[in-house]
Amino acid sequence: TLTGYVLYRYNNGSTDASATIDLSGITIPANGTYVFANSGSIQAMLDVADTTEGSSTYFNGDDALVIELDGVVVDIIGLIGEDPGSGWDIVGDDNATSNHTLVRNPDVTTGVAVFDPSQWTVYAQDTTDYLGSHTVD
């Protein structure tokens, strides 16, 4: 169960969260995933999504997304308080978090408290092949 977990979105370099989703009450089975999607996503994403609710799903590529457990960062993409312009760079791809699909690399088994671009692989926008799963080496 995700009791105590909260998802935050920090827009455009802000140090104040612009959106919050309390994850309490959500249960993820062992080796499972939970998919957030924007209600305006393509149908293939909506078909896999566990929820489209909450303004935290309005991500434009240059926002930091943070998951906290009882106030402690357990995973992050982007940097709070830093505006990267159009998007965050991922190794070899400029502005990769904007209009691309990011997939966590299979050697990553835990979240991080500091954004690590090397943990992600960049695919074309709207790639859904990996949505709803996480392959682990």
Side-chain angles (χ1 to χ4, degrees), residues 117-134:
S118 70
Q119 291 191 343
W120 300 90
T121 298
V122 180
Y123 293 94
Q125 183 175 356
D126 295 334
T127 298
T128 59
D129 298 347
Y130 311 99
L131 190 60
S133 65
H134 177 63

Side-chain angles (χ1 to χ4, degrees), residues 1-6 21-29 34 36 50-51 69:
T1 181
L2 297 182
T3 299
Y5 286 87
V6 180
I21 298 178
D22 181 355
L23 304 177
S24 295
I26 296 172
T27 300
I28 301 174
Y34 192 87
F36 292 90
D50 293 294
T51 189
L69 172 59

Side-chain angles (χ1 to χ4, degrees), residues 61-117:
D62 69 348
D63 303 329
L65 296 175
V66 177
I67 297 175
E68 290 186 2
L69 172 59
D70 298 327
V72 176
V73 174
V74 295
D75 208 4
I76 187 170
I77 187 163
L79 299 169
I80 297 169
E82 191 171 307
D83 187 348
S86 297
W88 303 100
D89 295 343
I90 303 293
V91 180
D93 289 282
D94 294 343
N95 300 322
T97 57
S98 179
N99 299 319
H100 291 91
T101 297
L102 302 179
V103 175
R104 206 72 172 269
N105 295 334
D107 61 335
V108 178
T109 58
T110 63
V112 294
V114 178
F115 178 47
D116 181 358

Side-chain angles (χ1 to χ4, degrees), residues 39-57:
S39 59
S41 297
I42 63 170
Q43 191 60 50
M45 287 185 183
L46 296 174
D47 291 345
V48 178
D50 293 294
T51 189
T52 58
E53 296 180 24
S55 60
S56 287
T57 65

